[in-house]
Amino acid sequence: MPPLAAWLRFPARLFFRQVDERIYAAVRMGFAAVALLNLLFLWPDRQVFFSDAGLIDADVAQAHGYPAYFSIFAFARSAQAVSCYLLATAAALVLLLAGVATRLAAFWALVWQLSYIARAPLVTTGWDMVLHVFALLLVVSPPGHCWSLPALLRGGGKARPAQVSAHGLVLMRLQVLVIYWQAVLTRLTKPEPNFWNNGDFMSYFLLSHHARWPGPWVLEFGPLLTLATYTTQLAELAIPVLLWVRKTRWWGALLGCSLHAGISVFTRDIEVFSLAMMMTYLAFLRAEDFHAIPDRVRRWFARRA
Amino acid sequence: MSGDDAAETPPAGALPVMRKVGAALLLAFCCWHAVFLLASIAPPKNAANGKPNTALALYKLFVSGPQQWNLFESIPDHHWLDPRIVVEDSRGGRTTIGCVLPGFTAYPRPEKARYYNLFFRLLTNAERPSLFAAYLRRVEAGLPAWHDGALPGRWELVVDVEWTRTLLHSRRDGGLYVPATRSFDVANPRGIVR
């Protein structure tokens, strides 16, 4: 094939490679579980954040919507309507988890993400954005039918998983790369005082509002926390690369999970963020992992026995 | 991308026309979105410098999200936030009630990340002062219902905060935080130092 033609075909080869549909199924189920957990945590505060009686004025939120305001909460304004919308969303996420009407359920999840972010922009967090971008990518991805309730009912658990287009996974993997690398680059280019560059970040972070155990003990571990500051930066640069390379992807997952578990231990009330980031790692699974993981677990149990 | 689960691209000639069109559109979206994502690795520039592109803003709103990933707050020098509403009655008595609507319930303890984000942004976000003004108006409108149908005397949103001192100063004398208190009401949405 001439080089130019090969070059032109490169995007099609990249995005339309065939991959095991169980990878998509794993991402879909992971996303649905985390989104459902997020909804569960939002439930007690639904009237405060989303209803007309709550803290945020709907009309002012609408006026701030740039370049447009899109939210189901423009119509669901009363206490009852807000509750109904959240319940319907929970049902949609359960359907997504079960692989029933998958595309529609993923689209509902996307609309839900857009709606509450627009209605209550001041309460949004980093994991809301992670869930938003992954909801969109699920809408355009193959649904991973093999791991679904209908397939289970048909006895399809024993059927060979289909090979489907890789485009969704490529975009998900790129998204994970952007999340980590942009975060690192943004910190490096912050104006002074830049606590990331001078190594003081972890000390300030552990004394801050976010910390689980702020106190004078932090001052005694200055050099160690300086090391932790730089190590975190290096880890965030390395995680997407390690995840992407076949031989190192488990090291990447281990490093990422350790980082986010550590953040959850030392920080208050952002466990959903850690889970949302760990969910994104599912996009880096490979077909052989679906044999290797059960084999390893079996071997581990056999050794224990 | 490294080699993968891989197999081969299906033979294009075998696809019906509609699927070919669909595949072409999907490919175009994937190429565009991939380029957009790669470009997003560079830290976002200050939006105030240039005219915002409406089409791009729509794309970010509905498709890509804003793609601003801070993961950690850049300058975590804030330690404590305690907002509440203090109401003075006609006899000069002072009552403290919660600042969370509906119902004037207390600011949650242990604190929740979303409440912290909400109040910290309400109090400090200069880009959206109208949200804070609207909140203060809601408090004023809601107080009579809480107070037997009559508007109580003076009221204010009182916020205690603590700021982290520099490590240098903290190591010198052991003091970690500097407290500060501001009060806000409809007439003073920017607050008064107390």
Side-chain angles (χ1 to χ4, degrees), chain A residues 49-257:
Chain A
F49 298 152
F50 307 130
S51 83
D52 268 356
L55 275 167
I56 303 163
D57 188 285
D59 296 327
V60 180
Q62 191 159 353
H64 276 287
Y66 173 81
Y69 178 78
F70 175 83
S71 175
I72 299 297
F73 290 110
F75 313 103
R77 299 176 71 139
S78 68
Q80 294 81 2
V82 166
S83 296
C84 287
Y85 182 43
L86 263 71
L87 286 173
T89 301
L93 291 172
V94 170
L95 290 179
L96 187 63
L97 188 65
V100 180
T102 312
R103 194 87 66 184
L104 184 65
F107 185 72
W108 188 293
L110 175 63
V111 171
W112 156 247
Q113 291 300 134
L114 290 170
S115 293
Y116 80 78
I117 289 171
R119 174 66 183 87
L122 299 182
V123 307
T124 53
T125 58
W127 66 84
D128 297 318
M129 297 304 161
V130 174
L131 291 174
H132 169 196
V133 295
F134 266 70
L136 180 275
L137 295 176
L138 278 176
V139 169
V140 299
S141 293
H145 282 308
C146 61
W147 285 352
S148 66
L149 190 62
L152 196 70
L153 293 176
R154 283 196 306 266
K158 292 168 192 162
R160 192 190 161 101
Q163 294 289 303
V164 293
S165 161
H167 63 275
L169 293 180
V170 175
L171 295 177
M172 288 174 194
R173 292 170 184 182
L174 270 177
Q175 182 62 71
V176 175
L177 180 86
V178 173
I179 291 173
Y180 283 112
W181 281 19
Q182 193 208 69
V184 172
L185 289 176
T186 302
R187 292 173 200 145
L188 291 176
T189 54
K190 283 276 177 196
E192 296 298 331
N194 188 323
F195 298 148
W196 283 100
N197 286 354
N198 68 16
D200 284 342
F201 178 84
M202 280 299 166
S203 295
Y204 280 103
F205 189 77
L206 291 176
L207 287 170
S208 79
H209 167 89
H210 305 283
R212 197 182 289 275
W213 301 292
W217 68 270
V218 174
L219 301 177
E220 295 167 20
F221 291 91
L224 191 65
L225 294 173
T226 299
L227 183 67
T229 302
Y230 295 130
T231 307
T232 302
Q233 290 273 71
L234 286 174
E236 288 180 0
L237 279 177
I239 287 166
V241 180
L242 293 175
L243 281 168
W244 212 317
V245 176
R246 179 190 291 267
K247 283 186 179 172
T248 59
R249 66 195 189 283
W250 286 105
W251 291 110
L254 183 67
L255 184 60
C257 290

Side-chain angles (χ1 to χ4, degrees), chain B residues 11-141:
Chain B
L15 297 173
V17 176
M18 283 306 287
R19 285 196 66 188
K20 276 185 185 173
V21 172
L25 288 173
L26 183 62
L27 183 61
F29 167 75
C30 289
C31 290
W32 155 254
H33 194 64
V35 171
F36 174 83
L37 286 177
L38 287 171
S40 300
I41 292 174
K45 289 178 186 157
N46 191 349
N49 291 340
K51 191 181 169 190
N53 182 321
T54 309
L56 195 60
L58 279 168
Y59 187 76
K60 286 184 175 182
L61 177 69
F62 290 109
V63 180
S64 71
Q67 296 291 336
Q68 291 186 9
W69 306 103
N70 272 332
L71 295 203
F72 289 100
E73 194 178 325
S74 302
I75 305 178
D77 53 2
H78 190 248
H79 170 64
W80 174 257
L81 185 71
D82 184 22
R84 73 260 182 206
I85 291 168
V86 176
V87 181
E88 267 182 30
D89 62 29
S90 51
R91 286 168 290 179
R94 291 167 71 87
T95 310
T96 300
I97 59 174
C99 59
V100 176
L101 300 175
F104 293 102
T105 53
Y107 185 77
R109 300 278 175 207
E111 195 174 46
K112 295 179 179 178
R114 290 191 189 277
Y115 279 88
Y116 169 75
N117 281 353
L118 173 60
F119 274 92
F120 190 71
R121 289 170 182 168
L122 271 179
L123 295 166
T124 60
N125 194 337
E127 290 170 20
R128 294 172 173 173
S130 53
L131 280 167
F132 188 43
Y135 165 70
L136 293 174
R137 287 196 302 273
R138 281 181 161 227
V139 171
E140 180 139 296

